[in-house]
Amino acid sequence: MNVGAAMKENEVSVLDQYDIDIKSTRRIRGAILCATNQGLFVLRELMISEKRIPMLHKLYVHMMENGCDRVDAVIENKEHELFSTSEDGIKYVVKRWYDGKECDIRKEQEIVGATKNLAKLHKVLRGPIDFGEESETFVMEGEDLRKEYCRHNREMKKVRAFIRGKVGKGEFELMFLKYFDAMYDWAQSASARLEQSEYELLMQQSREKTTITHGEYNYHNVLMMQDGIATTNFEHFHQDVQLADLYYFLRKTMEKNHWNVMLGDKMLEAYSEILPLGEREMEYLAISLSYPEKFWKAANSYYRSSKAWIPMKSVEKLEVAIHQTEEKKHFLEAIFSFHL
């Protein structure tokens, strides 16, 4: 084996448990890429409960049997187990991998292609999917968005109360207090509109069809290849309204592209070509996008930190969340005719 990744002994011992001939290795984001006699694989530390691995494996099998075969499926070791343990007790998985690069969030063609890819995945991830008798225990259900927003709203008010009582406020604290009222109004408006929307019906349909979401569909987990697209890292999969994936990918993309209306419109068209978006679905997306998620995240991250020293990166994230507000407002009006 050409151990080009400066692998540790315990990692080598794990790969020895698999019936594959390793030709070379190198480190990539959070894993070791292995070139083998059977193609590319990655060795990655197990980051979820070992009891949930069989459910993940069944999800991969379902996708591959229904036309979505370019996924990073977990493979069995020589003992027909889905994960392996190193000599120092660390658990690992070996997954199939693909010769491609991460989706470039600045390239329209790749973003549109990734959006179509998401719709194709969603079409396949609509039940029934046989997860076995333990599915209710290990196939998690997404949190009710109404409860999530209420919790986030309480957390933002808690952060404001803390900062108000703090002596010697820094740049982060002053900026947070200055813009809190406007951002909190957005949050309350999103919560109120969600309560009045048909979100309950979307959740009911999701349960009836057992729709599964990727859980973390972003450009890091989409590999663009010469002959297609591969989708990776389904560890956060759960049963939920599938539009949650589209919202997340759309928001992350728009944040990086200054809420470009033309690009956003093309993304929604690309998804609709495969899974049409009706008024109910568009309303869900508009409300989700209107919630000041990035502002809440900056506040939550601040509150969980030591607060003795606030990294410049935290200040920058808060600044971006605030300054992109007008861009997002224009986007919501142009795409959804949604007015705050």
Side-chain angles (χ1 to χ4, degrees):
M1 182 197 308
N2 176 16
V3 186
M7 290 174 63
K8 300 173 185 176
E9 286 187 18
N10 60 324
E11 294 169 337
V12 174
S13 71
V14 169
L15 286 175
D16 286 340
Q17 298 176 46
Y18 290 83
D19 191 19
I20 50 179
D21 179 16
I22 309 290
K23 299 184 181 302
S24 65
T25 64
R26 65 182 174 88
R27 291 195 180 275
I28 59 173
R29 183 196 300 271
I32 294 175
L33 180 66
C34 307
T36 80
N37 61 324
Q38 299 176 41
L40 294 176
F41 294 87
V42 290
L43 172 69
R44 191 185 299 274
E45 189 174 333
L46 180 61
M47 303 303 290
I48 61 174
S49 165
E50 60 188 72
K51 293 180 180 179
R52 200 163 132 81
I53 281 289
M55 304 298 112
L56 179 62
H57 175 65
K58 287 173 181 176
L59 182 75
Y60 282 128
V61 169
H62 173 83
M63 287 189 289
M64 291 188 292
E65 288 180 346
N66 287 275
C68 292
D69 55 348
R70 288 172 173 171
V71 290
D72 59 334
V74 179
I75 68 167
E76 295 180 341
N77 60 21
K78 293 175 182 177
E79 302 300 320
H80 302 293
E81 296 173 336
L82 293 168
F83 65 89
S84 301
T85 307
S86 66
E87 294 173 353
D88 56 0
I90 299 175
K91 295 179 173 61
Y92 290 86
V93 289
V94 171
K95 306 168 77 178
R96 295 192 177 279
W97 206 249
Y98 300 87
D99 185 13
K101 62 178 184 62
E102 289 185 1
C103 175
D104 189 337
I105 206 161
R106 305 289 184 187
K107 292 184 178 179
E108 180 184 297
Q109 185 177 355
E110 294 191 9
I111 289 297
V112 170
T115 308
K116 284 185 179 179
N117 179 64
L118 177 61
K120 290 174 184 176
L121 283 172
H122 281 171
K123 198 168 186 178
V124 168
L125 293 178
R126 295 186 172 188
I129 301 175
D130 182 15
F131 285 111
E133 295 179 0
E134 297 180 316
S135 63
E136 292 185 8
T137 305
F138 299 112
V139 178
M140 300 178 294
E141 186 172 333
E143 183 178 4
D144 186 320
L145 199 57
R146 293 167 297 191
K147 293 180 180 178
E148 184 178 320
Y149 283 176
C150 286
R151 190 179 74 252
H152 289 351
N153 292 352
R154 289 195 302 270
E155 289 166 347
M156 283 193 285
K157 289 181 72 175
K158 189 176 181 180
V159 173
R160 181 183 62 171
F162 174 84
I163 291 177
R164 276 178 168 176
K166 185 179 179 183
V167 178
K169 299 174 181 61
E171 186 177 358
F172 182 97
E173 289 92 353
L174 291 171
M175 191 186 304
F176 181 85
L177 290 178
K178 181 179 179 180
Y179 292 97
F180 177 85
D181 287 342
M183 291 297 185
Y184 191 70
D185 283 347
W186 276 52
Q188 285 190 309
S189 174
S191 297
R193 292 196 183 199
L194 189 65
E195 288 286 352
Q196 296 163 9
S197 73
E198 295 189 69
Y199 174 62
E200 180 69 41
L201 183 57
L202 286 174
M203 285 201 305
Q204 183 182 334
Q205 291 173 342
S206 172
R207 294 190 192 102
E208 289 173 354
K209 296 180 181 179
T210 321
T211 59
I212 300 296
T213 63
H214 179 283
E216 200 172 21
Y217 193 86
N218 57 43
Y219 46 94
H220 296 308
N221 296 327
V222 180
L223 298 180
M224 313 304 292
M225 305 181 297
Q226 289 186 345
D227 60 347
I229 297 176
T231 316
T232 66
N233 299 323
F234 285 79
E235 279 77 1
H236 295 281
F237 85 92
H238 58 276
Q239 187 270 310
D240 202 352
V241 176
Q242 289 181 323
L243 289 171
D245 276 340
L246 179 57
Y247 150 70
Y248 178 68
F249 186 52
L250 183 59
R251 177 176 68 81
K252 298 291 280 187
T253 304
M254 289 300 100
E255 287 172 353
K256 296 290 186 181
N257 287 279
H258 298 283
W259 294 89
N260 184 307
V261 172
M262 288 184 64
L263 178 59
D265 194 41
K266 287 180 180 179
M267 290 175 69
L268 293 173
E269 283 184 6
Y271 189 91
S272 282
E273 283 179 16
I274 296 159
L275 290 175
L277 296 169
E279 288 185 14
R280 186 181 301 127
E281 289 77 17
M282 292 292 277
E283 180 186 40
Y284 169 91
L285 290 170
I287 292 171
S288 298
L289 289 166
S290 74
Y291 192 86
E293 183 84 10
K294 208 170 182 69
F295 185 81
W296 164 76
K297 278 192 171 183
N300 192 49
S301 177
Y302 163 83
Y303 195 73
R304 293 174 181 274
S305 68
S306 66
K307 306 177 195 66
W309 176 76
I310 308 301
M312 195 60 207
K313 192 172 183 181
S314 296
V315 177
E316 290 170 357
K317 285 183 177 180
L318 181 64
E319 194 172 27
V320 169
I322 292 165
H323 289 169
Q324 283 197 353
T325 297
E326 285 305 313
E327 292 176 342
K328 183 163 75 167
K329 187 176 180 181
H330 172 66
F331 179 88
L332 290 169
E333 291 173 354
I335 298 286
F336 301 97
S337 299
F338 188 92
H339 301 276
L340 291 160

